[in-house]
Amino acid sequence: ILNVEQSPQSLHVQEGDSTNFTCSFPSSNFYALHWYRWETAKSPEALFVMTLNGDEKKKGRISATLNTKEGYSYLYIKGSQPEDSATYLCAFLVTGTASKLTFGTGTRLQVTL
Amino acid sequence: GAGVSQSPRYKVAKRGQDVALRCDPISGHVSLFWYQQALGQGPEFLTYFQNEAQLDKSGLPSDRFFAERPEGSVSTLKIQRTQQEDSAVYLCASSPALHQPQHFGDGTRLSIL
């Protein structure tokens, strides 16, 4: 069984705070890691696809890093805004099962004024 | 529309009934995926199509679940003799190629009474 764990499960920050959360995954046979943002009543939206150890990707105030040797990825949000409130999901692919994304349970972020 | 479209948004059925869930992917997207999301969990992979070919159906929980994509565009997920444990949100996603970010629909929330 391939498990991906995300922490914390939920997070409540104030507008302007910077925050980060973690995605842990098995490091063997790693192929790719995906991050998605899922706002309530909307569909999940792709943020990043990361494949190389040491990858860093950025999209506006959101960035992510990847460590495939130790099996973790961090997602950072700088200067959180209320519109960042969503569930952030990570999912990974292993070689040999290239179609099967395995998702974590997500980190639910709430940003208040 | 420009995005992935799923119908119906909500479906209530009595235990034992058959249901059919529809997914219209983004035009031209070769890869199509179905996921099942139970309350409080991340999406779980059900099946994957490349054009009309179902290349991976390892996530289908039982032989009551059947998916098709006969012309390589619209896909239908059928659940026969529904059980209460089938209650979940069913998400469809498409991508231009297998390892590209996936574009999700809004999902179908299925409730089995």
Side-chain angles (χ1 to χ4, degrees):
Chain A
I1 296 176
L2 300 171
N3 282 324
V4 56
E5 295 184 3
Q6 292 189 247
S7 62
Q9 202 169 41
S10 64
L11 195 53
H12 194 160
V13 302
Q14 292 204 309
E15 183 182 16
D17 288 349
S18 292
T19 187
N20 66 85
F21 14 97
T22 307
C23 172
S24 302
F25 52 86
S27 55
S28 58
N29 301 318
F30 174 86
Y31 189 86
L33 187 89
H34 292 221
W35 279 101
Y36 291 86
R37 175 170 64 196
W38 195 353
E39 294 179 63
T40 303
K42 295 187 178 180
S43 54
E45 172 199 354
L47 291 174
F48 307 113
V49 177
M50 308 174 81
T51 55
L52 298 176
N53 185 44
D55 251 356
E56 290 188 28
K57 296 213 171 178
K58 189 173 180 182
K59 187 175 183 177
R61 293 179 291 98
I62 303 177
S63 60
T65 61
L66 179 67
N67 183 322
T68 61
K69 293 187 188 303
E70 296 181 39
Y72 64 84
S73 176
Y74 293 139
L75 189 80
Y76 300 91
I77 302 178
K78 185 177 176 183
S80 303
Q81 300 295 310
E83 59 264 31
D84 297 329
S85 298
T87 295
Y88 291 83
L89 290 164
C90 72
F92 78 101
L93 282 168
V94 297
T95 55
T97 59
S99 58
K100 191 181 295 184
L101 271 180
T102 300
F103 280 85
T105 54
T107 292
R108 182 178 295 178
L109 175 67
Q110 181 75 33
V111 183
T112 52
L113 296 170
Chain B
V4 177
S5 176
Q6 290 187 246
S7 61
R9 285 294 307 273
Y10 304 92
K11 176 71 179 177
V12 179
K14 291 183 179 178
R15 190 166 63 92
Q17 287 183 327
D18 298 348
V19 297
L21 313 180
R22 178 188 168 105
C23 173
D24 273 277
I26 293 173
S27 178
H29 278 196
V30 167
S31 299
L32 185 144
F33 307 82
W34 282 99
Y35 296 90
Q36 180 191 59
Q37 193 209 12
L39 194 63
Q41 302 296 315
E44 288 202 14
F45 172 86
L46 293 176
T47 187
Y48 160 64
F49 289 87
Q50 181 174 302
N51 295 308
E52 69 279 2
Q54 189 175 21
L55 297 186
D56 188 342
K57 55 181 181 179
S58 60
L60 296 176
S62 78
D63 59 7
R64 296 185 295 104
F65 286 70
F66 172 76
E68 60 183 4
R69 194 187 185 196
E71 296 177 5
S73 54
V74 171
S75 177
T76 304
L77 176 67
K78 297 179 180 177
I79 309 173
Q80 297 176 321
R81 304 181 304 281
T82 51
Q83 303 293 317
Q84 280 196 316
E85 62 263 27
D86 300 336
S87 297
V89 174
Y90 290 84
L91 291 164
C92 175
S94 69
S95 66
L98 179 54
H99 298 135
Q100 296 295 309
Q102 295 182 18
H103 300 256
F104 283 82
D106 290 338
T108 294
R109 184 177 294 275
L110 176 65
S111 298
I112 304 299
L113 305 178

